Amino acid sequence: MPFNLKGRHFLTLENYSPREIRFLLDLSIKLKEDKYSGSRENSLEGKNIALIFEKPSTRTRCAFVVAGVDEGAHAEYLGMQDIQLGKKETVKDTARVLGRMFDGIAFRGFKHETVEQLARYAGVPVWNGLTDRFHPTQVLADFMTVLENKGCLKGVRFAYVGDGRSNVANSLMVGAAKMGMDFRIVSAEALFPAKELVKDAEEFAGENEGKITITSDVEKGVEGADVIYTDVWASMGEESKIAERIKLLGPYQVNRDMLDKTGNPHVIFMHCLPCFHNTCTELSSRYPDICEATDEVFESKHSKVFDEAENRVHTIKAVMVATLGR
Ligand code: CP
Ligand code: NVA
């Protein structure tokens, strides 16, 4: 059944019902098929989209640009060197100015309150491309990837392993509870998600036949898992905590032994990316033990990370088309 989401913001999955989330996922699947078959609706023709990015991004930025252009929109990137947001001009004033010029605004940044303020004052749909608290467009792509591999969401045993209070973990927990999944956070106790959010997720799970488990016990947490998911051990802005996180999260590295512990030969591995997987990068040369997933797992047949990255385009397109399209 279609839903009228025109004019809605997309800041967190908390504000979307399970049926609305399912509608966005079904639309994403349709838009992916359309792209593959070369048919386009140009549903965003003539629309101008502002992309305000306080933090760096590969996937999210490119997904907004490609999705917008695919549907006929113009996307304008506004980095922190380009605009005055919060420096010489309040977020409220920038929101009111951009809202007079643009038809939709994507925001990636630090405080969740900033995206809420943009939404309050811009007068056009605002989409959250990641804040310190939530990363909801990521979770749409993750659930689309689960649907492609497992055929359903309800009852899927989904183990998120690693930093249990990251923006990705928070959004996955809310979304999984709403979609009736058997969702586990497997992490060191010091990194368990905030109690209030767990309480909300448990309520959503109760309404939708889902289940939420928070545990530090790896064997219990991954038992029977259909999906093992992890994120970086230190998110953007937490670089000073890397050494501490390596100590806390070493036992939660996703490796062959962990996949075996699931007892499920069909388990899939997912990661929002970017991922440290025995990789040689500027940061990993300073912290050689930073490695939330081994290269063996990352490159294995279980890994769906690049389908997941591609699905960022189709799902972000669905959000823009549903909230702003013709
Ligand atoms: N997964 C994700 O949000 O990637 P980027 O940081 O590259 O946008
Ligand atoms: N938790 C990570 C997600 C990156 C897509 C971060 O905020 O850096």
Side-chain angles (χ1 to χ4, degrees):
M1 177 184 156
F3 283 85
N4 189 351
L5 302 180
K6 296 283 177 274
R8 289 267 297 272
H9 303 299
F10 189 75
L11 307 187
T12 159
L13 293 172
E14 287 168 304
N15 304 332
Y16 276 69
S17 71
R19 289 172 69 198
E20 288 169 341
I21 295 170
R22 185 64 210 213
F23 168 69
L24 288 172
L25 292 170
D26 290 341
L27 180 58
S28 308
I29 292 164
K30 181 191 171 297
L31 291 168
K32 184 170 183 174
E33 283 166 6
D34 287 352
K35 181 154 174 141
Y36 280 20
S37 66
S39 73
R40 284 185 186 187
E41 304 232 336
N42 276 328
S43 159
L44 298 173
E45 194 173 4
K47 304 290 186 193
N48 288 293
I49 293 161
L51 310 179
I52 307 177
F53 276 58
E54 288 181 336
K55 290 177 178 172
S57 166
T58 302
R59 282 141 287 266
T60 310
R61 171 183 176 171
C62 296
F64 271 106
V65 171
V66 171
V69 170
D70 275 356
E71 289 296 322
H74 166 78
E76 186 72 24
Y77 181 79
L78 302 168
M80 281 309 97
Q81 300 310 315
D82 304 317
I83 59 170
Q84 294 289 359
L85 187 80
K87 290 181 281 184
K88 205 170 170 184
E89 181 168 71
T90 61
V91 174
K92 180 175 174 180
D93 288 355
T94 301
R96 288 183 290 180
V97 171
L98 294 182
R100 296 287 185 105
M101 300 187 185
F102 289 90
D103 303 290
I105 300 173
F107 173 80
R108 160 169 290 201
F110 292 90
K111 292 186 191 150
H112 191 71
E113 292 71 24
T114 306
V115 80
E116 289 178 334
Q117 262 201 308
L118 286 171
R120 194 167 311 125
Y121 295 109
V124 297
V126 172
W127 310 297
N128 179 4
L130 179 150
T131 61
D132 286 345
R133 201 178 311 157
F134 291 120
H135 195 4
T137 61
Q138 176 67 51
V139 170
L140 289 182
D142 299 338
F143 288 179
M144 181 177 179
T145 310
V146 173
L147 279 173
E148 289 174 339
N149 284 278
K150 302 291 173 190
C152 64
L153 295 177
K154 201 169 259 309
V156 163
R157 288 162 294 209
F158 193 115
Y160 172 96
V161 187
D163 176 8
R165 32 141 306 286
S166 81
N167 38 21
V168 172
N170 287 343
S171 282
L172 280 170
M173 182 165 68
V174 170
K178 291 202 169 197
M179 303 318 281
M181 295 160 91
D182 172 355
F183 182 78
R184 304 108 184 242
I185 294 238
V186 191
S187 181
E189 272 184 42
L191 295 170
F192 278 2
K195 286 203 171 65
E196 317 80 73
L197 193 67
V198 175
K199 196 166 152 273
D200 290 349
E202 283 171 345
E203 266 177 40
F204 296 139
E207 291 160 9
N208 296 291
E209 299 165 25
K211 189 175 166 198
I212 301 291
T213 306
I214 314 289
T215 180
S216 56
D217 181 334
V218 172
E219 299 209 358
K220 177 181 163 204
V222 306
E223 191 187 358
D226 299 298
V227 182
I228 298 278
Y229 192 114
T230 192
D231 185 5
V232 286
W233 287 345
S235 287
M236 288 178 274
E238 296 185 330
E239 286 71 17
S240 64
K241 298 188 174 149
I242 291 179
E244 174 193 324
R245 295 290 170 80
I246 289 171
K247 275 198 209 126
L248 279 171
L249 292 174
Y252 299 91
Q253 181 190 66
V254 182
N255 49 34
R256 184 70 244 180
D257 182 48
M258 187 183 284
L259 294 195
D260 290 344
K261 281 196 171 96
T262 67
N264 179 0
H266 304 295
V267 63
I268 62 170
F269 168 68
M270 296 179 63
H271 193 304
C272 51
L273 306 184
C275 174
F276 290 104
H277 53 102
N278 310 110
T279 34
C280 187
T281 65
E282 184 260 318
L283 254 185
S284 61
S285 61
R286 275 194 280 146
Y287 300 96
D289 295 331
I290 193 166
C291 182
E292 66 268 16
T294 59
D295 200 47
E296 186 186 11
V297 167
F298 189 89
E299 299 293 352
S300 73
K301 66 177 190 317
H302 301 278
S303 176
K304 303 296 169 194
V305 297
F306 295 108
D307 291 335
E308 190 184 353
E310 178 194 323
N311 286 340
R312 300 296 309 284
V313 173
H314 310 300
T315 44
I316 280 177
K317 191 184 285 179
V319 169
M320 292 197 292
V321 166
T323 57
L324 183 62
R326 271 203 303 267

